[in-house]
Amino acid sequence: EAACRRAGLYFHALVNREHPEVLVCVGEVRSINKKARGKKVNVYRLTAAGRKFIQERRSARIEQRKAAA
């Protein structure tokens, strides 16, 4: 559950503050999570800028791992 929480916080940061150009809201659906009880949740699409951001982030993390080893 801790990993899900961290992932949710990261996703929230991408959508709202740090990189608003990475994801675009494209609609709403009902949640399939039992705890959410069918609440509406947003559906997002990764943008071209988002793809570039992810590739750059992956490359940077690979370089960090190489430097640490």
Side-chain angles (χ1 to χ4, degrees):
E1 189 165 315
C4 287
R5 180 164 173 69
R6 279 183 269 138
L9 292 173
Y10 179 71
F11 182 77
H12 185 21
L14 283 177
V15 172
N16 292 322
R17 290 175 275 152
E18 293 177 20
H19 306 282
E21 71 283 353
V22 172
L23 298 168
V24 175
C25 183
V26 294
E28 288 183 341
V29 296
R30 296 270 178 199
S31 174
I32 60 171
N33 183 341
K34 291 178 184 177
K35 291 181 181 180
R37 299 186 186 134
K39 279 196 305 189
K40 289 182 180 178
V41 294
N42 290 333
V43 177
Y44 294 91
R45 180 178 50 85
L46 185 64
T47 64
R51 290 187 216 310
K52 183 178 177 187
F53 170 78
I54 288 173
Q55 288 173 346
E56 290 171 355
R57 182 162 167 82
R58 283 182 184 162
S59 297
R61 295 201 50 143
I62 289 169
E63 292 301 318
Q64 285 176 347
R65 288 184 188 127
K66 286 180 183 177

